[in-house]
Each structure stands twice: as C-alpha cells, then as structure tokens.
Amino acid sequence: TLFDWPRASGAIFHEALHARYSRYSLEAAQKELSNYEFQAFMSLEESRIEKHGVDNFPANRVFLRSCALEIVLHDYQQQADEHAAHGVRSIAGLAALTCARVDAGSLNSEDVVEIKEIIIEHLGETVYDALREIWIKFQAHDNHTNPTYLYELAREWEKILSQLAKETGEQPEVGMSADKGILVLVDAVMKELKEAIEEAASNVAIATGDDVQEQEQKEEWQEVVDLRSKAARQKREHEQVAHDVFSASTAEINSTGSGSTLKETRSPTPAERAAAVKIAQLLEKAKYRERDETEIQSILPPGRLRTRAVVQQAAYKEQGSMMRPEAWRRTMRKHTDDPTLKVGVMVDISGSMSSAMQPMAATAWAMSEAARRVQGRCAMVYYGAGVFPTLKPGQHLDKVNVYTAPDPTEKFDKAFKSLDGSLGLLQSTGARLLVVVSDGVYTETELERARHWVKECDRNGVAVLWLSYASEGYNPHRGYLQKITENTSTQVLENITDPATAALQIGQAAAKALEKIGRKNAA
C-alpha cells in the first residue's frame, strides 16, 4: 500500500531517516546551543536527513516529495499555535524547510519558485546565498553520531540572522522597543509564505500523482524483469544438471559416486497392478487446470479502488482538466487447457532408507504405470552420494526394480534440479507432482536446500508428497520433516506397510496433494 498512500509513506520514511541519521543527543544539543541556534539546528536537520535518504534510497524520493510541504505546513501551524515570534528567523526557518529540500533532492526547484521569491525579497539575495551555503554544508555532514560541526553551522546561521534583525530594526538594542511597523510587515510576509506553501503543496500533490504511478510501474516492471532473468538462469542451470544426470544409464551408477546397485528385478504382482489402476483413477480426478491472470484497469468498477487515482482525479477536476485516471483495478482469471500430469519422484538411498527399498520399488513402478494411464509424464531419480536416473521422462517401467541403499549422504539439491530440468516442474503449467521418499535427515546445507525447493514448489503450484516410510506412531526423524515442510501444502505420509498397500496409500495422498495445491492456486 505504499503507492496508495504516498504522503503517509513519505512521512513514515522521513521519521525512519531521523532514526537512521539523527543519532546524537537532542538534550545535549539543546544545552550546547542558544534557543535561536537550536531552532536553526532543528530546521536544518530536516533537509540533512532527507539528503542522505535520497542518496541512499532513491526509489523512495517520490514519497518524500509527496509529503515534504505537508510537513512544513504542520511545523508552521505548530509554531503559530505556540505563538512563536515571527521575524527574519522564522522566514529563514521556512527557507531551511523548503528551499533547502531542493538541494537535498527531496523537492524540485519548480515546487518552491514562489516561496523562494518571497524569501529572497524579504531577506535579500546576499543573505539567502549565505544561508544556502550553510545548509549545503549541513547536508553534506555524514558523521551522524557527532554533531559538533553542525553546532558551528547553526551558530553561523544565527549570527547572520541576528545581524539582519538588527539592521531591519526587528531586534532593537537593549532597552529599546522593536519597530511595530516592522513586526506587522514580517507578520504579513509570513502569512503570504503560508499561502504560497499551501498552493505549492497542492501543486505537488497533483504533480507527484503521475510520478508515484510511474515509480510504481517502474518497480513492477523491474521486478518482472528480475524474476524473469532469475527464472531463465535457474531454468538453464537445472536443464544442464538434468542433461548430466539423465544422459547416464542405470548401468553407470558407480560413475555417479553412489554405491547403490540393482539388487532385484521382478514382474509386478496382481495386487500392485490393481493399485496402479486405482492410483491412476485418483490422479485423473485430482488434475486441475492452470488459471491465466490478466490485470485490467478501468475508470469504473468493479475491482480494487486505487485511492491515489481518486485524489489525482479530484485534482484534475479542480484544474478543469478532462483527464480521468483509471481508479479501478481488477484481475481476470480463466482456466487454460493443459491436462498433462507431470510426476517427479526422488528416492533417498542413504543407509537409513535401506528398509524402504522394497515398497519404494513397487511405488516406482506403480507411479510410472499410473502416469502412463493418464497420459502423464513421469521421471525418477535416486540420490545419495551421487544422483542417477531410474526412469527417464517419457519412459515406462516394465519391471519392479529394487536397488540397495548404502550411501552415507544425500544430494537432495542436485536430485531436485535434475527432475525440474527434465520435467519443467517449477516453470510450467498444469498438474505437477513431486514425490520425495526420504527420512529428511540431511546435512545442514542440504536441509536448507530441501526447505527452499519445497517452498518454491508450493509457491509455483507444484504439489508435494513426502514419504518417510516410518511408523505413524513414532518417527525419530519427524522434526527434520517438519522443518522442511512447515508452512507449505506438503502431504507427509508415514505409515507404509507392504508394497501394494503402500502404492494405494501413496495414490490417495498424491491425489490429496494435487487437490490441495489446486485449491490454493484458485484462491
């Protein structure tokens, strides 16, 4: 909502700049300086912090410009309410709050043209130039915890104004009264300045309306460019990993660094065939269509009201302009026809998973068969000290292949990248399912990568099913799984018994994961 409330955003940012850059003690400053010097010090500090804010956070400059003159009007009114003495010091103070912001970069020179003319007319060109030289030095100070140099500049500021006040008769010698005519004139100048600031604030509100919209559009476009660039780099990297992994045959396992071997090859049992049919039926029902989103802006509802455009429209109307900002924004969604199911399966072959290899072999065959029955694409990799393919995209397993699980570690990151690169899980549309078979006990680095990729799947509409093959009643590794899958739609399945039952349970859980992620995408 930053761009919906630019003036509020600017005010908050301004105060945040005080927190970041006004790191000295105000109490100490007040003791060190006279009242007039301290007032000058405080006025000059306003543009100093904004100078550093614009330099370090240029994207927020538009917010500062939106609110700067509103802050000045508030400060002016506060002084009036407190019956502050008007005079050259007050006029110079307004110069520090308005014209100095041009040099700070938070206002444009055209924003304060009339204000500057009034100030120079009353203070004189020479005095104005001298004051400007001081505020430029003040803004350049970057030792935010040591204001000693700023004290000197505040004293120099007051010295110039004190001399001017004496010359104009506004500040009489001791024992003499001030010229009342001078004070009346100064009071009239202050009122004129207030009107000029109010007019300038109104004009800035109109001018920044377009700037805010342009800045918002620029940031949105930059975000899209950055995301697309990042996605393209990621896609190329994952495709290269997939090429490296899937170009090897299952007979070349040893070359991958894994110690796993093919222990058994057999035909699927009737129960496993029946389970594969049931899984296919469940997956077919769970498939969903991806939805395209198109953003539409219009002058009339429905949609989300853009309050800044309403303010902008009122300003245009007051100026007699026929321009009508598009104040309503809505998102149109429609389903696209992409029924292809993509299933990626990755199996942990570290030593702790050795007892899961028999049911997982049946699961591998059943998932392959089910994907074939629903015209889907399935790919499978085993990962341990190395990563090797057991099912390439587009292939089908004729037999149940049982591998050993002897490896001392797990390369989760590489395994996921190879599946994503071969199937395009993260950056494609349609129903996509990632099945992970593992206890989740990884090194810290691989644990963080697993968390990252599970969250990326959740964010990109990829359903995740995690099979740990541990007892439902007690799982000593559950803490690892919770850390990996927390705050995502991942379905975790633990109570696996025999291959046929395991396949059926997996099918039900896979269907539930697809339905859950489908509802989330539709929300």
Side-chain angles (χ1 to χ4, degrees):
T1 57
L2 285 173
F3 292 99
D4 291 331
W5 309 95
R7 283 183 291 178
S9 301
I12 293 169
F13 181 54
H14 175 88
E15 296 307 322
L17 293 176
H18 273 304
R20 186 180 181 95
Y21 300 123
S22 301
R23 303 300 294 274
Y24 47 78
S25 167
L26 280 178
E27 185 179 2
Q30 198 163 16
K31 289 179 180 178
E32 182 73 22
L33 302 171
S34 69
N35 287 338
Y36 285 140
E37 290 167 351
F38 183 70
Q39 288 175 15
F41 178 85
M42 295 295 288
S43 296
L44 291 166
E45 179 68 2
E46 295 293 284
S47 66
R48 188 185 79 88
I49 63 165
E50 292 190 2
K51 166 68 173 174
H52 291 287
V54 170
D55 288 347
N56 294 313
F57 308 95
N60 288 349
R61 190 249 183 196
V62 67
F63 300 130
L64 287 178
R65 187 182 175 213
S66 297
C67 78
L69 292 176
E70 298 285 346
I71 294 176
V72 174
L73 284 172
H74 176 270
D75 291 344
Y76 173 89
Q77 192 59 48
Q78 191 174 38
Q79 288 181 11
D81 292 342
E82 294 172 356
H83 306 288
H86 288 169
V88 293
R89 293 181 178 87
S90 295
I91 296 171
L94 287 178
L97 295 173
T98 55
C99 301
R101 278 184 159 99
V102 175
D103 289 308
S106 49
L107 284 176
N108 294 345
S109 57
E110 61 267 22
D111 296 337
V112 298
V113 170
E114 187 177 353
I115 298 169
K116 181 179 177 181
E117 288 176 354
I118 297 171
I119 290 172
I120 291 178
E121 182 180 353
H122 194 76
L123 298 182
E125 190 85 42
T126 302
V127 170
Y128 178 86
D129 289 343
L131 296 179
R132 180 170 181 263
E133 186 177 343
I134 291 174
W135 73 53
I136 288 175
K137 291 178 181 178
F138 205 98
Q139 291 168 4
H141 184 71
D142 59 1
N143 189 345
H144 309 300
T145 58
N146 185 356
T148 304
Y149 178 61
L150 301 183
Y151 294 163
E152 297 176 9
L153 294 175
R155 293 188 182 103
E156 187 178 343
W157 179 281
E158 167 54 23
K159 183 178 180 181
I160 293 172
L161 296 178
S162 176
Q163 181 63 34
L164 180 61
K166 289 178 181 178
E167 291 175 359
T168 59
E170 179 188 315
Q171 182 176 313
E173 300 294 335
V174 178
M176 299 178 62
S177 59
D179 188 324
K180 292 184 178 179
I182 297 278
L183 296 179
V184 170
L185 176 61
V186 170
D187 192 57
V189 172
M190 290 299 295
K191 288 180 180 178
E192 186 181 4
L193 274 172
K194 181 188 176 185
E195 292 174 358
I197 294 171
E198 288 174 343
E199 178 67 22
S202 176
N203 292 337
V204 167
I206 296 171
T208 54
D210 290 336
D211 290 345
V212 167
Q213 191 168 358
E214 182 180 337
Q215 177 72 16
E216 181 179 22
Q217 187 71 65
K218 180 180 178 181
E219 290 191 12
E220 287 176 352
W221 284 348
Q222 186 60 49
E223 184 178 357
V224 169
V225 169
D226 291 343
L227 286 174
R228 287 182 177 177
S229 177
K230 179 181 177 181
R233 289 195 303 272
Q234 177 181 286
K235 184 172 182 289
R236 288 194 298 270
E237 179 194 352
H238 291 195
E239 286 176 348
Q240 182 60 51
V241 174
H243 177 268
D244 295 341
V245 170
F246 284 94
S247 61
S249 68
T250 53
E252 300 171 339
I253 296 176
N254 291 337
S255 65
T256 68
S258 173
S260 180
T261 57
L262 180 60
K263 182 173 70 173
E264 179 187 351
T265 299
R266 63 175 175 82
S267 298
T269 66
E272 290 166 351
R273 291 183 184 276
V277 174
K278 184 61 176 178
I279 292 173
Q281 292 172 346
L282 292 168
L283 292 178
E284 182 65 35
K285 290 180 181 179
K287 288 198 305 181
Y288 64 91
R289 303 298 197 267
E290 192 79 1
R291 300 197 305 170
D292 275 345
E293 294 186 356
T294 304
E295 192 174 88
I296 298 176
Q297 298 189 64
S298 62
I299 297 173
L300 300 174
R304 176 189 173 197
L305 180 63
R306 297 165 59 240
T307 52
R308 128 178 127 263
V310 175
V311 175
Q312 190 178 3
Q313 184 173 346
Y316 283 144
K317 185 176 181 181
E318 185 176 340
Q319 287 195 334
S321 173
M322 296 299 292
M323 294 182 64
R324 301 185 67 187
E326 296 169 333
W328 296 87
R329 177 187 292 170
R330 71 183 189 276
T331 301
M332 296 287 290
R333 298 179 175 89
K334 67 175 183 178
H335 291 286
T336 59
D337 233 359
D338 189 2
T340 303
L341 172 67
K342 297 176 182 178
V343 181
V345 183
M346 46 194 299
V347 185
D348 180 353
I349 50 172
S350 61
S352 60
M353 293 298 295
S354 58
S355 62
M357 290 300 99
Q358 190 63 236
M360 192 52 228
T363 301
W365 177 84
M367 293 301 296
S368 168
E369 178 67 17
R372 183 185 68 83
R373 287 176 175 270
V374 296
Q375 291 81 47
R377 298 182 73 227
C378 183
M380 190 177 305
V381 294
Y382 280 32
Y383 65 102
V387 179
F388 61 89
T390 55
L391 179 64
K392 298 181 180 181
Q395 289 184 337
H396 172 248
L397 286 180
D398 295 323
K399 302 289 185 179
V400 176
N401 298 319
V402 184
Y403 288 85
T404 60
D407 287 1
T409 188
E410 309 86 358
K411 293 187 176 180
F412 184 100
D413 186 58
K414 183 177 181 180
F416 175 81
K417 288 177 178 178
S418 66
L419 281 179
D420 181 45
S422 61
L423 293 173
L425 294 175
L426 294 178
Q427 297 182 38
S428 59
T429 59
R432 292 154 288 158
L433 174 66
L434 174 68
V435 181
V436 183
V437 186
S438 174
D439 53 16
V441 183
Y442 304 147
T443 63
E444 190 61 33
T445 300
E446 291 296 330
L447 188 67
E448 287 303 315
R449 298 311 295 164
R451 287 185 64 188
H452 171 74
W453 291 124
V454 168
K455 286 184 178 180
E456 283 296 291
C457 285
D458 195 67
R459 188 173 67 86
N460 289 279
V462 181
V464 179
L465 171 62
W466 195 290
L467 310 173
S468 71
Y469 283 95
S471 170
E472 188 176 20
Y474 173 69
N475 180 1
H477 308 310
R478 187 167 289 153
Y480 290 92
L481 295 180
Q482 289 175 344
K483 187 175 182 180
I484 292 172
T485 62
E486 63 183 353
N487 300 321
T488 66
S489 303
T490 302
Q491 293 292 116
V492 178
L493 188 62
E494 296 176 313
N495 54 330
I496 303 301
T497 54
D498 62 78
T501 305
L504 184 57
Q505 288 174 308
I506 290 168
Q508 292 170 336
K512 188 174 181 180
L514 284 168
E515 290 168 354
K516 194 171 182 180
I517 201 73
R519 286 195 299 269
K520 180 177 179 180
N521 284 356

